[in-house]
Amino acid sequence: LQVVCATAEALVLALVLAALTAWVGRKVFELEHAEGSLRFAHVRVQRNAESIAFYDGARRELHMLNQRLAGVLHAFRGYIVRLLPFTVMQKATESVVLVGVTNVVLLVLYFPDKPLTGVDENAAFTARWQAAMGVLVACAGAV
């Protein structure tokens, strides 16, 4: 039964991650496409600058480049909006882990003379230090 549950959990997790990847990946594709379009238009203007100036097409080319740039900015905004929840979640997790680990290490380092159980102070410090390092290693593994 545990094997079936673990397999079902793994399958559900894989499906959720695939859906999230497709959801964010669509915006990545749109952003890359818009950037490529702007890059192509810029190179075209750069290569044909003399002809554009001769035929007085600067205003039209500038308008076209501005439209391509607006497309890039729109795609970038969409990408950021889709990525924002994941970034917030990651930064919040990092902050909680960092603050927790920092507090444990500071308690151990700044209060070594306070025994935990009222027994030998060196043993209490060693126990505190080992506990802090255990938490540090566990948190580093979780991140």
Side-chain angles (χ1 to χ4, degrees):
L1 183 62
Q2 289 178 344
V3 173
V4 172
C5 290
T7 305
E9 287 176 10
L11 183 61
V12 168
L13 180 63
L15 291 174
V16 168
L17 289 177
L20 289 175
T21 302
W23 186 63
V24 174
R26 227 174 290 124
K27 287 297 178 182
V28 172
F29 175 77
E30 289 175 15
L31 178 61
E32 294 293 329
H33 185 271
E35 286 177 354
S37 177
L38 177 64
R39 213 174 298 117
F40 173 77
H42 179 262
V43 169
R44 190 176 62 80
V45 169
Q46 186 180 23
R47 300 271 166 124
N48 299 312
E50 289 181 12
S51 300
I52 292 169
F54 182 75
Y55 291 112
D56 197 29
R59 205 172 292 134
R60 185 171 48 108
E61 294 296 330
L62 180 63
H63 179 69
M64 184 264 312
L65 285 173
N66 284 335
Q67 284 180 330
R68 302 276 171 100
L69 180 61
V72 169
L73 294 176
H74 178 72
F76 186 69
R77 279 189 210 105
Y79 171 71
I80 292 299
V81 166
R82 292 241 175 132
L83 205 59
L84 187 63
F86 302 107
T87 305
V88 168
M89 185 175 64
Q90 179 186 9
K91 294 300 177 190
T93 304
E94 288 174 2
S95 298
V96 167
V97 169
L98 184 62
V99 168
V101 169
T102 304
N103 286 341
V104 168
V105 171
L106 289 177
L107 282 173
V108 168
L109 294 177
Y110 287 116
F111 301 109
D113 56 336
K114 305 279 186 185
L116 291 175
T117 58
V119 293
D120 182 25
E121 290 183 16
N122 288 334
F125 176 77
T126 303
R128 232 187 259 118
W129 180 257
Q130 287 174 346
M133 290 302 106
V135 169
L136 183 64
V137 168
C139 291
V143 174

